[in-house]
Amino acid sequence: METCCPGLLSHKLEALYSLKQQEMTPLHQAYTLLYGVALRNAVHCLTLQKDVMDGDLKKLLASNEGFAWKATEKPLELVQLTTMSQIPVLPSNVETKELKSVVSLLLEECYLLTPVTQAALLRELTQVVSMVQSLSPAIFKSQLLRLFGTVEISLLHSTLQMKGTFTDSLFTAEDENFLLKRLVGMAQHPLLSTPQKLFYIECILHFPENRPISSNGEESLPVLVTPRMAASLFPTVFNDSSTMLSRLNILSLVYLEDDEEEGIGYIFDHLMALHKIVDHHGTREMTTTFFRAVYIFMQNFYLNEKYTTDLIESLSELYRRHYTLAPNLINLVDSTQKLLEDSSWPTDLLKALQMLIVELPLQQLIHQSLYWHLKVLGRVAKEEQASQRSTVRFLLNLLINSSLCGLGDWRIGNALLSVCRNLLQHPNLDQVFIELADLLQFMMHSFEDVDIQDHARFYYTLLTNLSKEKLSGVLNMGTGESQAKIRSLSSIMAESEELSSCLTVHRTRQPVLKLVKLSEDGISKPDHSSSGPEDSTPDVDLLKVYQNQFLNPEFASVVILKYHLTFAGEVDALYHKLFCICLHFEQTDSNYERVSDVSVPCLIYDRKPCVVSLTLKPWRPYPTVLHASAIFTTEDGLSWHTQLDPIPIGFPDLFLPLPVPVHWSQGSREQLFHQLWKSLCPEESSQSATSLFCFEVGERSLRELIESSFHKYLVSKQLNPESYKVLLFLPPQFYVLLKIKNSEDAASVSIITDNWKLLPFINSYIKCITDYSADRTQ
């Protein structure tokens, strides 16, 4: 409460102090911390008053109001007290003797608290002292020796905050040097975990100096960190990726400040060691680490032409042997070009890669490597300072003297068109106009893919009919944030331009769609009937004929449920017209075969809902729940993903009528019922089971109950005495047979099944329908 409403306890400091002193349990820590927070907020409130009298602070510390809460008129805003903020302070003429005594007592008891509580209390007291000018920061001097030797990160963090607040008012140059050495030592301590070591390195990079050279909050090396002090932090290839990069970063800053050529050489040698590991098929993590290390090196030493030239040669040689590193090299070029706007190194690297590719013999341009080579050439085509004549000649020679056009690979053709598109926007298009026109004309006549031919013809038409300015305008159309532009994948756009929003599947904040199960009247159970013998054939074994139907594994194996696909209540107008809806279902158990996705062409808000059929193929016919989701496209071309409510599949949803041949009469069905009942007796099968269920019929007749719940599965009925025979078939081939009889005071249901695990479900279902019937009669 005090944190959410600062100043709430500012007039209860004496009472809080008394509670803290009297508490002998571990709650003493909580009272101490609460007192520290209340003290900080009380002093802060006092600094905001216009006329502060000499005794106001003393009166505040001695305030002892009760704990009758009352609402604050204007809650105090939290102020982050750092070296960069304007700290509100009390006038220097305010008497601070009592405050000094309180702070001293809290510091003396501080070591009894847990490290986390100590750190929190020290932060509060640091802010208190910073707001009281007449209270010297030297009051913390007695705590420094203990804090310098701590291994607790929370206490070290409070120490650094204290140093950032008081600087040389509390910390001498010797203290600063000792603290830096301590951080360097802890950053390589073998008993510490990697995250802890990385924390110490970050503390060095953001160390609050007494006399900082820059105060922009960015990473900068403290003046006292010398190459000799940081030599122990030199990375090795055995370090993990994060440790290696963080150490490389801090060593680069050290040698950048010192301008020591030998140290830069050590760092470059480390890069070459990583280069050899990647060259010998290093892991993906090591490859990523190498390119990040190159980025760090260029960030600091891009002016050193000796090493940057060698680095270009090494990277080119690496690409010659591992062409799949093209995305890494392109990303490195983009990143360094953004970082070093005035450096020519990214362009020089691209020129070297261009030269390497165009000089390759056609025999080495295997199909797998060509795609990556075209990626690199497409990136080179964006560079104004790079000559593109060799690229166009290389591509034309490749198409003429290879079987590439005859293969008609759309992926390769699209990569070729990407290079051509970038060339169409090149400032020096005039230099390659004729060669590029020949290339596009050859593609539109010879490439064995209609889509590539059409695009090549379109680019050729643009090239030969539009001026350079209009051509650039057409190809750049849609790159801005114009609201009038409708997103479309058929727009003229680069491979990676304006496609992120179209190709990204967005998530809806709330469900947009729902599935509503159709009533039983609207559901037609699948017809699994087949042709069979006439019942005039008395010698036919009906059970054998019936069972022979299941020799076909697909016979009577599925359950089809129908639902209305509709909108989930009031939805945003954005979703009023949905297209290409794909419903995806996930099982929560292994009792069913994977449910296939269902596609719906469109769904309009003010029209009738669509009917979708859900086909279930059970392996074990038990109730389940399906998780459903949908991906659809809205009218603006964006793709969306929405989660639907779970779909419960109840036990009665799996009931099917007896799948018998269509010519069988009522007598044949009854005969089959008796044969199945006999074959399902527990004496015949170990999986079979029998059960008996009794219930009161009530005012509603048993006939009405049967008609409402079992009319589709009724095999026979007898009026005197009243009895019914019901057969429930459950795919793939399970049975539940019921003999229902009515007596004077109750009805009995004899149950037999070939799967004893179904008994709990059928008993629950019968209890449910009989309870519902009894409720309706009441």
Side-chain angles (χ1 to χ4, degrees), residues 427-463:
N428 299 324
L429 176 62
D430 296 339
Q431 299 178 4
V432 293
F433 183 90
I434 297 177
E435 293 88 346
L436 182 58
D438 292 342
L439 174 62
L440 292 171
Q441 192 174 37
F442 187 84
M443 288 184 66
M444 71 185 194
H445 290 302
S446 304
F447 205 92
E448 292 295 331
D449 185 275
V450 176
D451 182 59
I452 301 301
Q453 288 182 12
D454 290 344
H455 278 78
R457 183 177 295 105
F458 179 68
Y459 285 162
Y460 179 80
T461 304
L462 293 178
L463 176 64

Coordinates of all heavy atoms in Angstrom, one line a residue, residues 427-463:
P427 N 20.6 3.3 -59.8 CA 20.9 4.6 -60.4 C 21.6 4.6 -61.7 O 21.4 5.5 -62.6 CB 21.7 5.3 -59.3 CG 21.4 4.6 -58.0 CD 21.1 3.2 -58.5
N428 N 22.5 3.6 -61.9 CA 23.3 3.5 -63.1 C 22.7 2.5 -64.1 O 23.4 1.7 -64.7 CB 24.7 3.1 -62.8 CG 25.4 4.2 -61.9 OD1 25.2 5.4 -62.1 ND2 26.2 3.7 -61.0
L429 N 21.4 2.5 -64.2 CA 20.7 1.5 -65.1 C 21.1 1.7 -66.6 O 21.2 0.7 -67.3 CB 19.2 1.7 -65.0 CG 18.3 0.9 -65.9 CD1 18.5 -0.6 -65.6 CD2 16.8 1.3 -65.7
D430 N 21.5 2.9 -67.0 CA 21.9 3.2 -68.4 C 23.1 2.3 -68.8 O 23.2 2.0 -69.9 CB 22.2 4.6 -68.6 CG 20.9 5.5 -68.3 OD1 19.8 5.0 -68.4 OD2 21.1 6.7 -68.1
Q431 N 23.9 2.0 -67.8 CA 25.2 1.3 -68.2 C 24.9 -0.2 -68.5 O 25.7 -0.8 -69.2 CB 26.2 1.4 -67.0 CG 26.6 2.8 -66.6 CD 27.5 2.8 -65.5 OE1 27.9 1.8 -64.9 NE2 27.9 4.0 -65.0
V432 N 23.8 -0.7 -68.0 CA 23.5 -2.1 -68.3 C 22.1 -2.3 -69.0 O 21.6 -3.3 -69.0 CB 23.5 -2.9 -67.0 CG1 24.9 -3.0 -66.4 CG2 22.4 -2.3 -66.0
F433 N 21.7 -1.2 -69.7 CA 20.3 -1.2 -70.3 C 20.2 -2.3 -71.3 O 19.3 -3.1 -71.3 CB 20.0 0.2 -70.9 CG 18.7 0.3 -71.5 CD1 17.6 0.7 -70.7 CD2 18.4 -0.1 -72.8 CE1 16.3 0.8 -71.3 CE2 17.2 0.0 -73.4 CZ 16.1 0.5 -72.6
I434 N 21.1 -2.4 -72.3 CA 21.0 -3.3 -73.4 C 21.2 -4.8 -72.9 O 20.4 -5.7 -73.2 CB 22.1 -3.0 -74.4 CG1 21.9 -1.6 -75.0 CG2 22.1 -4.1 -75.5 CD1 22.9 -1.2 -76.0
E435 N 22.2 -5.0 -72.0 CA 22.4 -6.4 -71.5 C 21.2 -6.8 -70.7 O 20.8 -8.0 -70.8 CB 23.7 -6.4 -70.6 CG 24.9 -6.2 -71.4 CD 25.3 -4.7 -71.5 OE1 24.5 -3.9 -71.2 OE2 26.5 -4.5 -71.9
L436 N 20.6 -5.9 -69.8 CA 19.5 -6.3 -69.0 C 18.2 -6.6 -69.9 O 17.5 -7.5 -69.6 CB 19.1 -5.2 -68.0 CG 18.0 -5.5 -67.1 CD1 18.2 -6.7 -66.2 CD2 17.8 -4.3 -66.1
A437 N 18.1 -5.8 -71.0 CA 17.0 -6.1 -71.9 C 17.1 -7.4 -72.6 O 16.1 -8.2 -72.7 CB 16.9 -5.0 -72.9
D438 N 18.3 -7.8 -73.0 CA 18.6 -9.1 -73.6 C 18.3 -10.2 -72.6 O 17.7 -11.2 -72.9 CB 20.0 -9.2 -74.0 CG 20.3 -8.3 -75.2 OD1 19.4 -7.8 -75.9 OD2 21.5 -7.9 -75.4
L439 N 18.7 -10.0 -71.3 CA 18.4 -11.0 -70.3 C 16.9 -11.2 -70.1 O 16.5 -12.4 -70.1 CB 19.1 -10.6 -69.0 CG 18.8 -11.5 -67.8 CD1 19.4 -12.9 -68.0 CD2 19.5 -10.8 -66.5
L440 N 16.2 -10.2 -70.0 CA 14.7 -10.3 -69.7 C 14.0 -10.9 -71.0 O 13.1 -11.7 -70.8 CB 14.1 -8.9 -69.4 CG 14.5 -8.4 -68.0 CD1 14.0 -6.9 -67.9 CD2 14.0 -9.2 -66.9
Q441 N 14.5 -10.5 -72.1 CA 13.9 -11.1 -73.4 C 14.2 -12.6 -73.5 O 13.3 -13.3 -73.9 CB 14.4 -10.3 -74.6 CG 13.6 -10.6 -75.9 CD 14.1 -9.7 -77.0 OE1 15.3 -9.4 -77.1 NE2 13.2 -9.2 -77.8
F442 N 15.4 -13.0 -73.1 CA 15.7 -14.4 -73.2 C 14.9 -15.2 -72.2 O 14.4 -16.3 -72.5 CB 17.2 -14.6 -72.9 CG 17.7 -16.0 -73.1 CD1 18.1 -16.4 -74.4 CD2 17.7 -16.9 -72.1 CE1 18.5 -17.7 -74.6 CE2 18.2 -18.2 -72.3 CZ 18.5 -18.6 -73.5
M443 N 14.6 -14.6 -71.0 CA 13.9 -15.3 -70.0 C 12.4 -15.5 -70.4 O 11.8 -16.5 -70.2 CB 13.9 -14.6 -68.7 CG 15.3 -14.7 -68.0 SD 15.3 -13.9 -66.3 CE 14.1 -14.9 -65.4
M444 N 11.8 -14.4 -71.0 CA 10.4 -14.5 -71.4 C 10.2 -15.4 -72.5 O 9.0 -15.8 -72.8 CB 9.9 -13.1 -71.6 CG 10.3 -12.5 -72.9 SD 9.7 -10.7 -73.0 CE 10.0 -10.4 -74.8
H445 N 11.2 -15.7 -73.3 CA 11.0 -16.7 -74.4 C 11.4 -18.1 -74.1 O 10.9 -19.0 -74.8 CB 11.8 -16.2 -75.7 CG 11.2 -14.9 -76.3 ND1 9.9 -14.9 -76.7 CD2 11.7 -13.7 -76.5 CE1 9.6 -13.7 -77.2 NE2 10.7 -12.9 -77.1
S446 N 12.4 -18.3 -73.2 CA 13.0 -19.6 -73.0 C 12.8 -20.2 -71.7 O 12.9 -21.4 -71.6 CB 14.6 -19.4 -73.2 OG 14.8 -18.8 -74.5
F447 N 12.4 -19.5 -70.7 CA 12.3 -20.1 -69.3 C 11.0 -20.9 -69.3 O 9.9 -20.4 -69.6 CB 12.3 -19.0 -68.2 CG 12.7 -19.6 -66.9 CD1 14.0 -19.5 -66.5 CD2 11.8 -20.2 -66.0 CE1 14.4 -20.0 -65.3 CE2 12.2 -20.6 -64.8 CZ 13.5 -20.6 -64.4
E448 N 11.1 -22.2 -68.9 CA 9.9 -23.1 -69.0 C 9.1 -23.0 -67.7 O 8.8 -24.0 -67.0 CB 10.4 -24.5 -69.1 CG 11.1 -24.8 -70.5 CD 10.1 -24.7 -71.6 OE1 8.9 -25.0 -71.4 OE2 10.5 -24.4 -72.7
D449 N 8.6 -21.8 -67.4 CA 7.7 -21.6 -66.4 C 6.8 -20.3 -66.7 O 7.4 -19.2 -67.0 CB 8.3 -21.4 -65.0 CG 7.4 -21.2 -63.9 OD1 6.9 -20.1 -63.6 OD2 7.1 -22.3 -63.2
V450 N 5.5 -20.5 -66.8 CA 4.7 -19.5 -67.3 C 4.7 -18.2 -66.4 O 4.8 -17.1 -66.9 CB 3.2 -20.0 -67.5 CG1 2.3 -18.9 -67.9 CG2 3.2 -21.1 -68.4
D451 N 4.7 -18.4 -65.1 CA 4.8 -17.3 -64.2 C 6.0 -16.5 -64.4 O 6.0 -15.2 -64.4 CB 4.6 -17.8 -62.8 CG 4.6 -16.7 -61.8 OD1 3.7 -15.8 -61.9 OD2 5.4 -16.6 -60.9
I452 N 7.2 -17.2 -64.5 CA 8.4 -16.5 -64.7 C 8.5 -15.7 -66.0 O 8.9 -14.6 -66.1 CB 9.6 -17.4 -64.6 CG1 9.6 -18.1 -63.2 CG2 10.9 -16.7 -64.8 CD1 9.7 -17.2 -62.0
Q453 N 7.9 -16.4 -67.1 CA 7.8 -15.7 -68.4 C 7.0 -14.4 -68.3 O 7.4 -13.4 -68.8 CB 7.2 -16.7 -69.4 CG 8.1 -17.8 -69.8 CD 7.4 -18.7 -70.9 OE1 6.4 -18.3 -71.4 NE2 8.0 -19.9 -71.1
D454 N 5.9 -14.5 -67.6 CA 5.0 -13.3 -67.5 C 5.7 -12.2 -66.8 O 5.6 -11.0 -67.2 CB 3.7 -13.7 -66.8 CG 2.8 -14.6 -67.7 OD1 3.1 -14.7 -68.9 OD2 1.9 -15.2 -67.1
H455 N 6.4 -12.5 -65.7 CA 7.0 -11.4 -64.9 C 8.2 -10.9 -65.7 O 8.4 -9.6 -65.7 CB 7.6 -12.0 -63.6 CG 6.5 -12.0 -62.5 ND1 5.5 -13.0 -62.5 CD2 6.3 -11.2 -61.5 CE1 4.8 -12.8 -61.4 NE2 5.2 -11.7 -60.8
A456 N 8.9 -11.7 -66.4 CA 10.0 -11.2 -67.2 C 9.5 -10.3 -68.4 O 10.1 -9.3 -68.7 CB 10.8 -12.4 -67.8
R457 N 8.4 -10.7 -69.0 CA 7.8 -9.9 -70.0 C 7.4 -8.5 -69.5 O 7.5 -7.5 -70.1 CB 6.6 -10.6 -70.7 CG 6.0 -9.9 -71.8 CD 4.9 -10.7 -72.5 NE 5.4 -11.9 -73.1 CZ 5.3 -13.2 -72.6 NH1 4.6 -13.3 -71.4 NH2 5.8 -14.2 -73.2
F458 N 6.8 -8.6 -68.3 CA 6.3 -7.3 -67.7 C 7.5 -6.4 -67.3 O 7.5 -5.2 -67.6 CB 5.6 -7.7 -66.4 CG 5.1 -6.5 -65.6 CD1 4.1 -5.7 -66.2 CD2 5.6 -6.1 -64.4 CE1 3.6 -4.6 -65.5 CE2 5.1 -5.0 -63.7 CZ 4.1 -4.3 -64.2
Y459 N 8.6 -7.0 -66.8 CA 9.8 -6.1 -66.5 C 10.4 -5.6 -67.8 O 10.9 -4.5 -67.8 CB 10.8 -7.0 -65.7 CG 10.5 -7.2 -64.3 CD1 11.1 -8.2 -63.5 CD2 9.5 -6.4 -63.6 CE1 10.8 -8.5 -62.2 CE2 9.2 -6.6 -62.3 CZ 9.8 -7.7 -61.6 OH 9.5 -7.9 -60.3
Y460 N 10.4 -6.4 -68.8 CA 10.9 -6.0 -70.1 C 10.1 -4.8 -70.7 O 10.7 -3.8 -71.2 CB 10.9 -7.2 -71.1 CG 11.5 -6.8 -72.5 CD1 12.8 -6.7 -72.7 CD2 10.6 -6.5 -73.5 CE1 13.3 -6.4 -74.0 CE2 11.0 -6.2 -74.8 CZ 12.4 -6.1 -75.0 OH 12.9 -5.8 -76.3
T461 N 8.8 -4.9 -70.5 CA 7.9 -3.8 -71.0 C 8.2 -2.5 -70.2 O 8.2 -1.4 -70.8 CB 6.4 -4.2 -70.8 OG1 6.2 -5.5 -71.6 CG2 5.5 -3.2 -71.4
L462 N 8.3 -2.6 -68.9 CA 8.6 -1.5 -68.1 C 10.0 -0.9 -68.5 O 10.1 0.4 -68.6 CB 8.7 -1.9 -66.6 CG 7.3 -2.3 -66.0 CD1 7.6 -2.7 -64.5 CD2 6.3 -1.1 -66.1
L463 N 11.0 -1.7 -68.7 CA 12.3 -1.2 -69.0 C 12.3 -0.5 -70.3 O 13.0 0.5 -70.5 CB 13.3 -2.4 -69.1 CG 14.7 -2.1 -69.5 CD1 15.4 -1.2 -68.5 CD2 15.5 -3.4 -69.6

